[in-house]
Amino acid sequence: MPAQTEGGAKDSGELTEIRVKIAYSGEVYITYIPPCLEVESLEQEIRAICKFDASQVFTVKWVDEEGDPCTISSQQELDEALRLYDLNKDSELTIHGK
């Protein structure tokens, strides 16, 4: 599980971790992930935080800068979410679980 510490940038301006806000079933959880993350690791992190059992199927969606939900079901979709997060200098990545 990624470190649950305060996010930030190195002196070089390189992003060291990303604050992620996970909304599920009326609850909001905060965690921090590395900027280079495999989609399977993100799914494991969400499964642990939301206490899903191993057989429970769920959908991961992030909220883009226009407020639209976008599904993350592949590495390419996660990479795009992280790229836009960095490009837009967002304070956090918001993810909804269903």
Side-chain angles (χ1 to χ4, degrees):
M1 193 177 294
Q4 304 283 322
T5 59
E6 195 60 37
K10 294 180 183 175
D11 291 337
S12 66
E14 182 181 328
L15 192 63
T16 58
E17 51 189 17
I18 298 169
R19 177 183 158 109
V20 178
K21 180 169 72 172
I22 301 170
Y24 172 70
S25 190
E27 299 290 329
V28 175
Y29 307 93
I30 303 295
T31 190
Y32 294 86
I33 62 171
C36 296
L37 182 70
E38 292 184 9
V39 70
E40 293 83 7
S41 296
L42 176 63
E43 289 170 351
Q44 289 173 358
E45 174 79 357
I46 293 170
R47 187 175 298 281
I49 289 172
C50 296
K51 297 179 177 53
F52 295 146
D53 65 46
S55 64
Q56 187 168 351
V57 177
F58 63 97
T59 301
V60 178
K61 295 185 179 205
W62 68 282
V63 181
D64 70 10
E65 66 274 2
E66 296 171 355
D68 297 324
C70 304
T71 301
I72 298 176
S73 60
S74 69
Q75 188 64 47
Q76 184 178 10
E77 291 168 341
L78 175 58
D79 291 345
E80 180 66 3
L82 296 175
R83 184 188 73 78
L84 291 173
Y85 163 87
D86 188 42
L87 180 71
N88 295 325
K89 307 294 184 221
D90 293 331
S91 62
E92 64 192 9
L93 183 66
T94 301
I95 294 178
H96 292 194
K98 280 196 143 212

